[in-house]
Every structure is written in C-alpha cells, then in structure tokens.
Amino acid sequence: MFYYILKYAVLGPLLRLLFRPRIEGLHHVPDDGAAIIAGNHLSFSDHFLMPAILKRRITFLAKAEYFTGPGVKGRLTAAFFRSAGQIPVDRSGKEAGQAAIREGLGVLNKGELLGIYPEGTRSHDGRLYKGKVGVAVMAIRAGVPVIPCAMVGTFEIQPPGQKVPTIKQVTIRFGEPLDFSRYAGLEDQKAAIRAVTDEIMYAILGLSGQEYVDEYAVKVKAAKAAQQPRKFPGLRR
C-alpha cells in the first residue's frame, strides 16, 4: 500500500514536476506479465525517476548496504527502500551472485517487473561499463523478455558524491523488448550468457549514446582508488 501512495500521490508527482522527464518508448514496457527492465546506472536518482514514470510496479535488487546503515538515518533509509519494494542483496562473497539470481527469479515467477542495472554499480565517470551475466541467467531461466532502458542526463543532475540533485530535465528511453528464447536451456553455458549480456548492453548503448568501456565498473573503480594517495590523520601537506 505504501508503495502506491509513494508512487502516485507523493514522490511520483513531485519528481515529474521537478525534473519534467522526457519519456520515449514507454509502449515497449508490457502492461502485464513478467519482464526485466535492464538499464544503465548513472546516479542515485535513477532509483526513483524510472519507477516514477512507469505505470506498473517495478522491483529492483538493491545493495544490502541501503538496509544496514547505523542510527536513525539508517533505519529510515531501510524502511523507505523496503516500502518502495526494493529487495536487499548482499554483494559480497561467492554466493552473492546466486542470491541475487534467486531473488530476481522470485519476482519474475510472480509475473512482475524486475529492474536490473547489469553494470552492478553506478558509473563513476558517466561511461557505460561491461555488464555482469546475472541478467542473462535470469532472462533465459525465466523465459522473459528484456527491455533495455537508458537514463540520459541523470549523471549531470546528481553525479557520485552529490547529495542533492540539480533540478534539470532528464530523458528516459525504453527500447524494443529483446527475446532470448533461442538460448533456452543454455543458462549454464558461459558463452551463451556472455552473448546475451553483451546484446543487452549493446542495446542500452544504442539508447544512451554513452562511451563504452569493455571492463567491469567495479574493477575500474578499485584500480582508480588504489592510485589515490593515502591520507594520514594529523599530517598536513
């Protein structure tokens, strides 16, 4: 109930008023039945802008850190994400990927929309990074279409580190559904799931116009962080 109050009476109208999103290809999102919406991930604002313009409820797999923050702020954040229909997923450890797949398939098996960011994390520089194969495994195993989606302009309104978004118009584009029924039964084949994932990322790239990087965003972020000089408390430079 809270989800629909938030979407239709509070957050949805407010976001539409402030950001005046330009929406393209919304007719590609089915009115009913299970489907995956796979999009690029440029900003924290993505979590709210895409659901706000969809007619249907969509569930995202959200990182567990959103649900485990300390203090009053942490509890409020966790309550908000749960009420908004987000599912916490632990991204650490060997079983993290399998846990995300199980949760995602549970949503799809109920005939609902599942939202996924195949890059696995927000882009730190506005470029589109290599997709992780979990989206392909779920699409093949559940036998559902994948609708590519591109958020355009959200990196500019709220890049990483900026807490309050800049009020500016954004564009949300949906592409034609991708059918992977030809890969039925091949969700355990590395070559097949890599091919499906790359096709999804290519479709997102065509909608977003971003520069593509054939590396995982997490790996690039880690390498960049390792190059940063260490800061020691009490020392001035």
Side-chain angles (χ1 to χ4, degrees), residues 33 40 44 47 62 71 105 133 135 145 175 179-180 184 190 220 231:
N40 59 342
F44 186 74
H47 289 294
L105 288 173
V133 299
V135 61
D179 177 15
F180 297 110
K190 290 184 179 180
V220 175
K231 295 182 180 180

Side-chain angles (χ1 to χ4, degrees), residues 93-107:
K94 294 181 179 179
E95 293 298 319
Q98 292 303 315
I101 289 171
R102 285 194 298 271
E103 294 287 357
L105 288 173
V107 174

Side-chain angles (χ1 to χ4, degrees), residues 118 131-136 192-202:
K132 296 189 174 183
V133 299
V135 61
I193 59 176
R194 184 73 260 165
V196 169
T197 304
D198 288 346
E199 185 174 337
I200 293 169
M201 299 310 294
Y202 183 78

Side-chain angles (χ1 to χ4, degrees), residues 18 26 45-46 48 55 63 83 113 126 138 147 192 204 226 235:
L18 292 176
L26 187 59
S45 299
D46 297 339
F48 310 104
K55 299 175 183 178
K63 62 181 182 180
S83 299
L113 285 180
M138 285 184 274
I147 295 93
I204 295 172
L235 295 180

